[in-house]
Every structure is written in structure tokens, then in C-alpha cells.
Amino acid sequence: MKKLLLSLSSVIAFVLLNESCTKIRTTELGGGLIPADDNVTVFDTTLEVISSVFGLPDSTRQTRDADQLFGILEDPFFGTTTGEMYVQLHPNLFGTYPFGSSRDSLIGLDSVVLSLRYKSIYGDTNSVQGFKIYEIDQSAPFRDSSTGYLISHPSFPVSNFIGEKTNVSYLTLNDSLQYIRAKDTVKTANELRIVLPNEFGMRLMNFDTTIYKTDSAFNANFKGLAILPDAASAFKKAIAYFNLADQGGTRLSFHYRTTRNGKPDTTVTDFVLRTNYRATANIVRKDPSGTPFENQLANGVNNQSEVFIQSTPGSYSLLKIPGLQELNNRLLYKAVLIAEQLEGYEEASFPTPGLLFLDAVDSANSRFITIPNSWVFLQSSSPLFYDPGTFGGFLNNKRFEFDLTAYIQGIVTRKEKSFALRLYAPFTTRPVVPSIGTNQIPVTISNRLGSGRTVIGGGAHPTQKMRLYLVYSRL
């Protein structure tokens, strides 16, 4: 009889729940369906989120093949971002003199041009900036690094000032252009050309042939080029991205005349970033001095009304949800962390990051972990390794959402641990995925370093609070 009564009560509960769900609510996240709250069988509630902002300790390494950040971006709310590029450009082959059969065959140098392959821009495209080219000092600890240099590495010392290109309009970086290369007319685009003094070119062409025997001999006489932004540039409101590994667009070209078969001949020799024997460094600095972002970092408020999130190297927000510990067991239909974008921070000129990321602070083990149960590891989705369309992090209708349903269900039903959360916009990050082991997994969130920032409502905002929204049934 007891089993029969239990069965009947289950049927009645199902019918009541089914009738209460005739109204369906769709969430922004994943297009999932959840029942409308009727305060009879289905309820909703909002939990407070306490948000604090911190500078993001930087351990990012920029690889040689990645797009390098260059220029100066002055943001009135977040501060100044500065990007410098360092590169070794080598002849295609070592072991022979690269300019004709010998130095004696040279007639003269017509020009030497540094080309940089432009890829994209972040910030105000009306920016006008200058490019200064220096020789990396021979004492500099600049060498090939397969893992890349930390972007926080100190600037490498430079010696000789080689040349510059002033007043470069960022609007023109992707323009089509045409020039003569040896006997051919080249039509191309997305290539910034910087003409350098012939004295610099002749110095490299007059190297003894033994210097071109090996890469180490060449590097011992010429460490490489430092490409630095001009602090006196006219309008510093954007950063540009260049790919130094693109041998068709980034190269040091020597246009010269030589004797071939007893006759004068015009030709070109290119120095490029080779697959081997190569080194690059992208040094990125951010200075928030005198900005609202700096004030937020220094004010020590535990629950802030405005949360400044800046992409790597930038900031993160530490989130705590104290109400989770008091929740009794219940059936969750949806648990969504909601953060609303605030307007009035020049977001038209400085767009938000393409994707925010959320992980958990496992302080007991001194590590960061992916959100238990809610963040699902997908081996086939490298380099993201998860589905952000399901988990969340995109800006949609001026708010960011993260689906934490499975995570919160584990807390209220199985009494699993509730963690503080970290909200940020990393270039790459390396959390531990507890479901697959204790090793860190490299997750690439953005394809551009330093691209994006946003201001969102914090837990103390008067009208646009960060919050955890729950839809549930009692058990």
C-alpha cells in the first residue's frame, strides 16, 4: 500500500509540474528550455555575488608564430598598453655569402627595406604612430627560445638607432600597394614597408664571408632588430598586430646590383625569420596610472559596484557566492551567473574581449581548476577544449552568462565543495581539469594578446548587480 501511495503521489506531482510548465522560458545560454516559475512547484531566486578586482599575475609566453602586439594604446579608463617587437632575421641559407657569388661581385646597394606583415588592429583606427628601428645590443640576452619569452620580460637593451617611419596612419596598414622588386612589379596588401639607410645595409653586406658560415657567427656580429613604438607619436589610441613568421610579408630586403656572368644584374636578397635559428620577443606593458582602473585596484573594497576586466596582461575578478552554503537540496533547472556590461566607457573604440573565462580557485591545493561538473572537457576541441556556447562567456544582449547548473547541483545535493570563482579574459590559461587528472591543460581563449576590455556591474552595483540566478523545484 505504501508503494502504491508513493507511486500515486509521484504521478500527481508530475501532472502538477507538467501543467505549471505550459509557459516555457528560454535562456540566453545554449537556448535551453526551463519551466516558468509559478511559486507552486517551480521557483526562482537570486543569490548575491561579492566581486573584487585584482591585477592578473602574468605568465604568458608569446610564441614566434603568434601575431605580435605593437604600438601604444592610451585608454582613459584602463591606462596605457605598450607593445615592442624583437626579431632575428637571417638569410635563407648559412654556409655561403648571400649577396651574389662574392663581395667582389657587388656593384652597389639601391635600397634596404624592412617589411612587416600586418594582421589586425585593436582600438581607435584613426591612430597615427611612429616605428623606430634599433639594433639589439650584442650584450642583450636575446636568443632563440622555443617556448617564447614572457611578455613581462624587461625590454632588451639596444644600441644603434637604424631608422624610422613616422606618422603611420593605422587606417592605411591594410591598404593595397605596388612596388618594384628586382625586375618585377609586386602588388600586395597588409604589408608595412620601412626604408632603412643604405649605410645599415652595406654594413651587413660587407660582413666577412666567414660571418655567414653559421647562424652563431652571424648572431655574434648582429643580434637582431628591435622595433619600438615612438612615444612622441601623434595619436596613440590603438595597438596593431604583425606576424613576424610570415616570410612572404615580414622580411629584410636588400635591393642591389651585382655582376653576373660579366654583366650588371639587379637582384634582391631577403633575410627572414627562419624555421630554425630564429628568435622573437613581444614585450607588453600595461600602466593603469591615474585611471579609474588603478583606483579600483587600490581602494580595497571587498564588493565593488564596477568590475574592470582587461585582457592579458590585465585583470581578473574574484567572485564569492556566500548564499550557496545555505541552500538546501533542490532540483535545479538552471543556475546562471549573470554579469551585465556597463556603458559609457568608450566601448565603441575599445570593444569587449571576444570571450570571458570562468574557473575556480582551489586554495587548498594552490591551483586553479575548471568549474566542477559544469565545464566539460572536449579533447577534440583543441585549443579551447570546451564548448563556450554551452558553458558561456560570450557577450550577448549586453550581458555575459555562465551556466553553473551542474556545479551548483553538486553543491546542494551531494554537498560538494563551493569554490571562489575567477572571472577574466586570458590570452591563454592553464587550469587543472579534475575530471581527467591533475595536469594543467593549456586553454587558448583569445587569438590576440591584449585585445579587449569591458566594465561590468559588480555585486554592489545599484541597478545592474552581478548575480547568480536559480530556477528550481523543492524536493
Side-chain angles (χ1 to χ4, degrees):
M1 177 62 72
K2 288 183 178 179
K3 289 185 178 180
L4 177 60
L5 289 174
L6 181 60
S7 178
L8 286 173
S9 63
S10 298
V11 170
I12 292 170
F14 174 78
V15 171
L16 288 173
L17 180 59
N18 188 56
E19 288 184 359
S20 71
C21 295
T22 54
K23 292 183 179 179
I24 297 296
R25 175 180 303 157
T26 60
T27 65
E28 300 287 354
L29 209 51
L33 300 178
I34 59 176
D37 54 291
D38 59 6
N39 289 321
V40 177
T41 57
V42 180
F43 304 85
D44 69 348
T45 191
T46 299
L47 297 186
E48 177 189 26
V49 174
I50 297 176
S51 58
S52 303
V53 174
F54 301 89
L56 183 65
D58 180 66
S59 59
T60 300
R61 292 182 181 272
Q62 184 75 307
T63 63
R64 297 172 294 202
D65 297 321
D67 293 343
Q68 312 283 302
L69 181 160
F70 175 87
I72 302 173
L73 185 156
E74 295 178 343
D75 183 328
F77 296 99
F78 283 81
T80 302
T81 300
T82 304
E84 305 171 348
M85 300 187 296
Y86 300 81
V87 62
Q88 286 181 341
L89 299 177
H90 289 158
N92 281 296
L93 291 173
F94 282 108
T96 60
Y97 183 69
F99 305 103
S101 57
S102 69
R103 287 193 301 168
D104 294 336
S105 67
L106 291 178
I107 298 175
L109 175 64
D110 295 323
S111 64
V112 56
V113 180
L114 174 64
S115 295
L116 300 172
R117 172 63 77 204
Y118 166 73
K119 300 297 289 188
S120 59
I121 191 171
Y122 176 80
D124 191 332
T125 55
N126 293 307
S127 290
V128 178
Q129 301 195 32
F131 292 65
K132 288 182 171 290
I133 315 301
Y134 292 85
E135 182 177 344
I136 299 173
D137 192 82
Q138 287 302 123
S139 67
F142 179 66
R143 58 184 61 88
D144 185 26
S145 173
S146 60
T147 59
Y149 284 98
L150 288 171
I151 60 174
S152 57
H153 193 285
S155 296
F156 291 99
V158 298
S159 53
N160 301 327
F161 171 70
I162 298 173
E164 64 183 329
K165 187 164 187 174
T166 61
N167 297 321
V168 177
S169 169
Y170 276 24
L171 280 171
T172 66
L173 287 174
N174 64 348
D175 281 358
S176 299
L177 67 156
Q178 179 174 301
Y179 56 88
I180 302 298
R181 179 177 169 84
K183 303 177 182 66
D184 300 321
T185 299
V186 175
K187 296 180 180 179
T188 186
N190 299 310
E191 181 182 325
L192 175 66
R193 291 169 55 82
I194 303 173
V195 178
L196 301 178
N198 277 11
E199 291 80 4
F200 163 71
M202 287 303 302
R203 179 185 156 215
L204 269 61
M205 296 178 77
N206 284 330
F207 275 168
D208 188 86
T209 54
T210 59
I211 293 176
Y212 287 104
K213 291 293 184 181
T214 65
D215 63 298
S216 57
F218 181 79
N219 292 338
N221 287 271
F222 183 70
K223 184 73 76 169
L225 297 174
I227 308 165
L228 309 181
D230 186 355
S233 295
F235 191 52
K236 306 183 288 286
K237 298 279 282 187
I239 46 181
Y241 297 85
F242 297 88
N243 192 286
L244 303 181
D246 184 337
Q247 296 185 2
T250 294
R251 59 195 184 277
L252 185 64
S253 300
F254 300 79
H255 299 256
Y256 59 98
R257 285 161 287 121
T258 186
T259 301
R260 180 173 297 178
N261 298 324
K263 297 181 180 179
D265 184 51
T266 301
T267 188
V268 180
T269 292
D270 292 328
F271 284 16
V272 296
L273 184 66
R274 296 184 59 195
T275 303
N276 299 311
Y277 320 114
R278 58 181 185 167
T280 66
N282 194 194
I283 309 303
V284 181
R285 292 186 298 275
K286 289 198 175 183
D287 181 5
S289 299
T291 65
F293 176 42
E294 182 192 38
N295 181 62
Q296 187 180 64
L297 291 172
N299 64 19
V301 175
N302 287 330
N303 194 15
Q304 293 165 320
S305 59
E306 299 169 333
V307 170
F308 285 62
I309 299 293
Q310 188 177 32
S311 58
T312 304
S315 62
Y316 73 95
S317 182
L318 184 68
L319 311 180
K320 298 180 181 180
I321 311 173
L324 281 179
Q325 304 295 341
E326 302 171 6
L327 287 181
N328 56 14
N329 192 18
R330 61 194 66 196
L331 174 62
L332 290 173
Y333 299 106
K334 187 65 67 174
V336 182
L337 179 70
I338 300 173
E340 298 188 33
Q341 183 185 36
L342 303 180
E343 297 181 313
Y345 295 90
E346 295 191 15
E347 56 273 9
S349 294
F350 308 113
T352 115
L355 181 65
L356 298 189
F357 192 67
L358 187 73
D359 54 20
V361 184
D362 183 6
S363 55
N365 296 294
S366 301
R367 62 182 187 174
F368 295 100
I369 63 173
T370 54
I371 305 296
N373 306 317
S374 285
W375 192 92
V376 179
F377 177 72
L378 300 176
Q379 178 68 53
S380 61
S381 296
S382 174
L384 267 176
F385 293 113
Y386 77 108
D387 178 12
T390 301
F391 179 66
F394 292 117
L395 181 66
N396 193 358
N397 293 329
K398 298 184 179 180
R399 67 182 189 179
F400 299 94
E401 293 185 353
F402 292 90
D403 186 350
L404 304 183
T405 308
Y407 167 61
I408 306 299
Q409 189 73 72
I411 295 172
V412 301
T413 300
R414 299 183 295 276
K415 304 305 177 184
E416 294 176 353
K417 186 173 182 178
S418 170
F419 296 94
L421 306 179
R422 179 176 63 162
L423 178 65
Y424 59 128
F427 176 61
T428 60
T429 187
R430 298 178 64 87
V432 171
V433 184
S435 62
I436 65 171
T438 58
N439 292 331
Q440 292 177 305
I441 301 296
V443 180
T444 300
I445 302 298
S446 172
N447 61 355
R448 297 193 307 179
L449 186 69
S451 177
R453 49 72 144 184
T454 188
V455 182
I456 55 182
H461 196 277
T463 59
Q464 294 173 278
K465 292 181 183 294
M466 191 182 301
R467 58 203 182 272
L468 180 68
Y469 178 69
L470 305 177
V471 180
Y472 64 95
S473 285
R474 294 170 180 161
L475 295 178

